Amino acid sequence: MSAPAATRAGLTLEARALTRRFGGFTAVDAVSLRVQAGALVGVIGPNGAGKSTLFGLLTGFVKADAGKVLLDGHDITGLPPQARAQHGIARTFQVPREFANLSVRANLMVAAPGQSGELLTRLFTQAARIRLEEALIEAKAEQVAAFLKLTKVLDISAGSLSGGQKKLLEMGRALMTDPRLMLLDEPFAGVNPVLIGQIMERISELHSRGMGFHIIEHDLASLSRLVGVLHVMDQGRLLASGLPEDVLGRADVREAYLGSHAAAGEQVPTGEASRGTAA
């Protein structure tokens, strides 16, 4: 099954000295990075490094204390998440946020933006238009489900899905917004190897059609096979950036994961990071 729709031109997303503090704790400390249009970029780092907070800043779910977010060179720092989504930025969350009691079909359909039926007055004045719109949205939901291999579970409750299927549903809900850049927060966490491979295939296909990706992940073995660039965060700061093989070979990256007593030849782990609290 091919990707749901032709991807529009990619987006370039840039952080300039982004900073976020929680009380006396600096979660993101003057981070600057750039995700080129259509790029496939990974973000790694030990737990508590500030990765998810950075995603919140880029997508508008977290307000910056300092710095800027630019989209194709335009300052979007003050825009809320909905407005950024309208510009083509979508994100998933580390813990899936499905509507557990609704079907997979309904979860996908409700994610479609700008539905006329959301306004009560239009239910009476534009009933025919709304019925047509809902039919088109349902067709799109079925196409997205087919692309993600969720067709067989379309009419079961989302709460009964496996962990991997919930991650696919998160991607599907994002795809319903027709994004040009998708930020994925730990898409492989808690997912069995077969479904990890399936998620990687879907990402690769979407990327081949021009969609950009910015991915946080602790499964370094899978991520390094998927992305072209890795950014490493530690203690709220950007520690390193570059090709995966170069970044993962750096002594300071090994130390960030393994601690100051790591042996020089020891490899960065491919599972969960070894210290700290959730990012």
Side-chain angles (χ1 to χ4, degrees), residues 103-113 115 118 133-142 173 176:
S103 68
V104 170
R105 185 189 304 273
N107 267 270
L108 291 170
M109 290 181 66
V110 78
Q115 299 184 45
E118 293 174 351
E133 186 179 89
E134 288 181 347
L136 293 173
I137 291 171
E138 184 171 12
K140 181 177 180 179
E142 291 174 352
R173 286 164 55 83
M176 290 295 293

Side-chain angles (χ1 to χ4, degrees), residues 115-197:
Q115 299 184 45
S116 301
E118 293 174 351
L119 298 176
L120 184 59
T121 55
R122 291 183 181 176
L123 290 174
F124 302 101
T125 62
Q126 301 179 20
R129 173 184 171 182
I130 291 171
R131 284 195 297 272
L132 174 60
E133 186 179 89
E134 288 181 347
L136 293 173
I137 291 171
E138 184 171 12
K140 181 177 180 179
E142 291 174 352
Q143 186 182 18
V144 167
F147 173 68
L148 297 173
K149 299 185 179 180
L150 293 174
T151 300
K152 291 183 179 180
V153 297
L154 261 174
D155 294 310
I156 72 169
S157 63
S160 65
L161 298 178
S162 69
Q165 288 172 325
K166 288 182 179 180
K167 291 297 178 77
L168 285 166
L169 178 57
E170 277 275 288
M171 283 187 62
R173 286 164 55 83
L175 285 172
M176 290 295 293
T177 68
D178 293 324
R180 292 185 278 167
L181 173 65
M182 195 180 298
L183 283 71
L184 305 180
D185 195 344
E186 297 197 31
F188 308 147
V191 179
N192 70 56
V194 173
L195 278 179
I196 287 176

Side-chain angles (χ1 to χ4, degrees), residues 10 17-18 34 76 132 135 140 169 218 223:
L18 274 181
R34 184 182 178 91
I76 63 167
L132 174 60
K140 181 177 180 179
L169 178 57
H218 281 306
L223 186 65

Side-chain angles (χ1 to χ4, degrees), residues 202-255:
R202 302 301 87 181
I203 292 171
S204 294
E205 183 168 348
L206 291 166
H207 177 247
S208 72
R209 296 169 63 88
M211 188 179 294
F213 285 89
H214 199 189
I215 305 171
I216 293 172
E217 186 50 61
H218 281 306
D219 184 346
L220 304 187
S222 297
L223 186 65
S224 60
R225 292 198 305 269
L226 184 63
V227 303
V229 175
L230 274 181
H231 297 295
V232 185
M233 291 187 67
D234 186 36
Q235 299 181 34
R237 297 182 179 180
L238 190 62
L239 177 64
S241 298
L243 297 173
E245 59 269 28
D246 295 337
V247 167
L248 295 178
R250 287 178 49 155
D252 53 353
V253 173
R254 291 199 303 271
E255 182 174 331

Side-chain angles (χ1 to χ4, degrees), residues 2-179:
S2 61
T7 302
R8 297 170 290 168
L11 294 171
T12 297
L13 185 65
E14 184 177 358
R16 289 187 183 175
L18 274 181
T19 299
R20 173 64 185 188
R21 304 179 186 91
F22 296 97
F25 174 69
T26 303
V28 174
D29 190 358
V31 169
S32 296
L33 56 80
R34 184 182 178 91
V35 181
Q36 295 284 2
L40 219 172
V41 175
V43 182
I44 66 172
N47 290 332
K51 305 181 298 296
S52 292
T53 302
L54 175 63
F55 265 28
L57 292 168
L58 293 173
T59 56
F61 288 88
V62 177
K63 184 178 180 180
D65 291 312
K68 293 182 179 181
V69 179
L70 303 179
L71 188 65
D72 284 346
H74 301 288
D75 190 346
I76 63 167
T77 311
L79 293 183
Q82 299 90 334
R84 300 190 197 199
Q86 290 172 359
H87 284 289
I89 302 174
R91 72 161 297 178
T92 66
F93 293 88
Q94 187 175 351
V95 177
R97 298 186 176 188
E98 78 282 354
F99 296 107
N101 295 324
L102 296 181
S103 68
V104 170
R105 185 189 304 273
N107 267 270
L108 291 170
M109 290 181 66
V110 78
Q115 299 184 45
S116 301
E118 293 174 351
L119 298 176
L120 184 59
T121 55
R122 291 183 181 176
L123 290 174
F124 302 101
T125 62
Q126 301 179 20
R129 173 184 171 182
I130 291 171
R131 284 195 297 272
L132 174 60
E133 186 179 89
E134 288 181 347
L136 293 173
I137 291 171
E138 184 171 12
K140 181 177 180 179
E142 291 174 352
Q143 186 182 18
V144 167
F147 173 68
L148 297 173
K149 299 185 179 180
L150 293 174
T151 300
K152 291 183 179 180
V153 297
L154 261 174
D155 294 310
I156 72 169
S157 63
S160 65
L161 298 178
S162 69
Q165 288 172 325
K166 288 182 179 180
K167 291 297 178 77
L168 285 166
L169 178 57
E170 277 275 288
M171 283 187 62
R173 286 164 55 83
L175 285 172
M176 290 295 293
T177 68
D178 293 324

